[in-house]
Amino acid sequence: MSTAPSPEPVPTAAASAPDLGARLDDLRREYAALQARGLSLDLTRGKPSAEQLDLSDALLALPGEGVHTAEGGTDTRNYGGLAGLPELRRIFAELLGVPVEQLLAQGNASLTLMYDTVVQALLFGVPGSERPWSREEQVTFICPVPGYDRHFAVCEELGIRMVTVPMTPDGPDAEAVAALVADDPSIKGLWTVPTYGNPDGSVVSEAVARRLVSMPTAAPDFRIFWDNAYAVHHLTEHEAKSANAIDLAAEAGNPDRVLMFASTSKITFAGSGVAFFASSPANVSWFTKHLAIRSIGPDKVNHLRHAMFFGDADGVRAHMRKHREILAPKFSAVTSILESRLGGAGVAAWTDPDGGYFVSVDVVPGTASRVVTLAKEAGIALTPAGATFPYGRDPQDRNIRLAPSMPPLEEVQVAMDGVATCILLAAAEAATA
Amino acid sequence: MSTAPSPEPVPTAAASAPDLGARLDDLRREYAALQARGLSLDLTRGKPSAEQLDLSDALLALPGEGVHTAEGGTDTRNYGGLAGLPELRRIFAELLGVPVEQLLAQGNASLTLMYDTVVQALLFGVPGSERPWSREEQVTFICPVPGYDRHFAVCEELGIRMVTVPMTPDGPDAEAVAALVADDPSIKGLWTVPTYGNPDGSVVSEAVARRLVSMPTAAPDFRIFWDNAYAVHHLTEHEAKSANAIDLAAEAGNPDRVLMFASTSKITFAGSGVAFFASSPANVSWFTKHLAIRSIGPDKVNHLRHAMFFGDADGVRAHMRKHREILAPKFSAVTSILESRLGGAGVAAWTDPDGGYFVSVDVVPGTASRVVTLAKEAGIALTPAGATFPYGRDPQDRNIRLAPSMPPLEEVQVAMDGVATCILLAAAEAATA
């Protein structure tokens, strides 16, 4: 029962898997055998594999001795150029569908850009704010769930209250979001990963995007943190293109509503890529004004290195197809093993994403943490249960995020077979509890 | 009258240069001739020259295709390693005199590390804080003057009040600092550039350092921002070594008082170097805990690139001697032209630094901005008068920061001759006003 991410609970074990209890002893033996293999496998985080990183190894010798001059004669080695190198910004402006003047190229992590943006809002407010967010009695962000644990950690660290809405196959539940923001002026932000959502793989549809950028908000300075981490990270021929939220927001008369983030972390080197910030002219100038106090400019040599490596936007697209060749078999392994081991058992629903880095699995409610523990004790590290929810608390204890990118294909297969055993055993335990 | 930075006002024009008024017409003619040359020269900022950047050009092809593994088998291309690459940290731990465990290697700018440290203190407080600094009624930093404009800009941006103390040839006036911090609990910070201060070139003596780290402070969470930007940036055989403030603070029973910052910005590439944070174990763990929310790790490929380029601490020292060969003649030109044009005229005092990036000139009080304007109108860009004081306001309007590193030697010579003319003309104008 491979499905788009299900906003509805899957059938409970009691309702749908009455015979699982009878299989408990078999499953325990199967699990004991799994444990006996002494595995050490890791599906915890969305890290690229060494094979993927190898695709960008030309970067290790770029720009090349004597090569340091960018267009306009800029010496990339020296200070300056706060907005980042134009030739690299142009490539990603095309890919992200934003004007190059509205796109900044910065350091090695979009997470840092997102954190710093929230901090700037707390310290200074954003265009349209009545006061710095830190002077509000309360600041609330809407967190679609399941979602990205690092988004939630930023809010938690910075004292921002989180309220959840469900994800749908078309992105965050826009009606739920609209209802919340209409009445509550403390709601200043919404997180979303619009293209191949983390972990559910959903893509924000144009209709949902239009609703989000045009809905009335009680706060005059509400912002959507549009974390376009996987904008070009396709796993199939069906290359999704998320709605152009910045343009749509401008059309809707809310030009400053969307803050877009992206990076090359999962295009070139995870730790040594380039991160991007895009938004309205007012937001870009707000961000840059404060950036100028803390930076004399980003690492332009790394920008030049990346611009030379890609050449142009088509260079990025061609490069991403090589990633796809490596990643697609791993994702197929995950979903086909889940299908063959669990299909029809009524104990799980999972996503079959067209891109991104994750498979989201909903298991029998109440058993996700048990599955993760069982896996751990069999040498298979999974992202902690609850990680896809604020404060690490999944109210139904049912969602598990699988990240198959890092291990070699054979390890993904072995690990997933083990995970299937753990899901079945936890369900059987629950059915007989 | 080349001197160590003078805490006392230089003699005024009226007192010491009674004959300058008589030279006014001559000086006006000289200035008109200077203007007629149509110069376009720039002594504004401490940027390395292209010739200096060339010294590190091997970095442009490092680490080299296929080379990405650091000690312990770390794949530098991937995520992780929040503290930075150990092999690079070890090199700079030796140079900065701190244990490697207490040194973090991060992104491309120590300015960013300093800003982020202040922001963390505002949002969360530091070890020993009763509350986040932003919840205090007022936060005050002591700013020795003349000082570094970007330090002051950080305070201004973040709403931190600045009070000044004079610089001495041994660093900040420690007795003035001690008197201020003893009574005022709002004083949370002190900026200092301990080695070859910006702009005065002073080096914090061990006695001053001991006083600063041991003085009683009304605030339990007072911090010294020890911006060791020029720790290895010598201009002469006399290689100053600033006091080891972190050790001294621990000895004095105030282990958490000192936060040290440094970078390779003026060692390798100004925009693409590596910045460092060093402090007590408690401060490092405080910094890292918050860093972990906003970063998955720094650019380790750039760390590896730098570690390979330097080899070891002696590699850095040898490299800095090459910088010195380029820089020393420029600094000599500045001071020898000042001496030959202004020596004995009683219109200026200037520093003759053993390292760093600046010469600090005190002109006739009330004429610094006039000098900068005259220079500008003759095509010579100088750092704005007042820049070395908080809010850009030099109460005596007498300090000018000269930055001779960037232009070629011949341009430095031409520019300095012009600056001398401007200083004389402004003094003569003042004497006859």
Side-chain angles (χ1 to χ4, degrees), chain A residues 46-81:
Chain A
K47 288 169 87 164
S49 64
E51 193 186 357
Q52 287 177 270
L53 295 168
D54 288 346
L55 297 174
S56 303
D57 261 9
L59 282 173
L60 295 167
L62 284 174
E65 205 150 343
V67 182
H68 49 68
T69 308
E71 65 181 40
T74 300
D75 187 336
T76 55
R77 304 168 301 178
N78 221 325
Y79 288 119

Side-chain angles (χ1 to χ4, degrees), chain A residues 46-48 50 53-54 57-58 60-68 75-79 108 111-112 115-116 119 123-124 150 153-154 157-158 265-266 269-272 290 292-301 305 406, chain B residues 46-48 50 53-54 57-58 60-68 75-79 108 111-112 115-116 119 123-124 150 153-154 157-158 265-266 269-272 290 292-301 305 406:
Chain A
K47 288 169 87 164
L53 295 168
D54 288 346
D57 261 9
L60 295 167
L62 284 174
E65 205 150 343
V67 182
H68 49 68
D75 187 336
T76 55
R77 304 168 301 178
N78 221 325
Y79 288 119
N108 78 324
L111 177 64
T112 303
Y115 183 98
D116 291 346
V119 165
L123 294 174
F124 311 112
R150 291 191 188 271
V154 169
E157 152 116 337
L158 296 172
S265 293
K266 284 164 186 129
F269 294 155
S272 305
H290 296 291
I293 305 297
R294 56 192 292 273
S295 170
I296 313 181
D299 182 344
K300 295 185 299 300
V301 173
R305 190 176 283 131
M406 179 87 168
Chain B
K47 289 170 88 164
L53 297 167
D54 288 346
D57 262 9
L60 295 168
L62 285 173
E65 205 150 343
V67 182
H68 49 69
D75 188 336
T76 55
R77 305 169 300 178
N78 221 325
Y79 288 119
N108 77 325
L111 176 66
T112 303
Y115 183 99
D116 292 346
V119 165
L123 294 174
F124 311 113
R150 291 191 188 272
V154 169
E157 152 116 338
L158 296 172
S265 293
K266 283 164 187 128
F269 294 155
S272 305
H290 296 291
I293 305 297
R294 57 193 290 275
S295 170
I296 313 179
D299 181 346
K300 295 186 300 300
V301 173
R305 189 176 286 130
M406 179 86 168

Side-chain angles (χ1 to χ4, degrees), chain A residues 216-231:
Chain A
T217 62
D221 53 354
F222 172 79
R223 290 291 184 278
I224 301 173
F225 288 73
W226 191 263
D227 180 2
N228 218 344
Y230 308 105

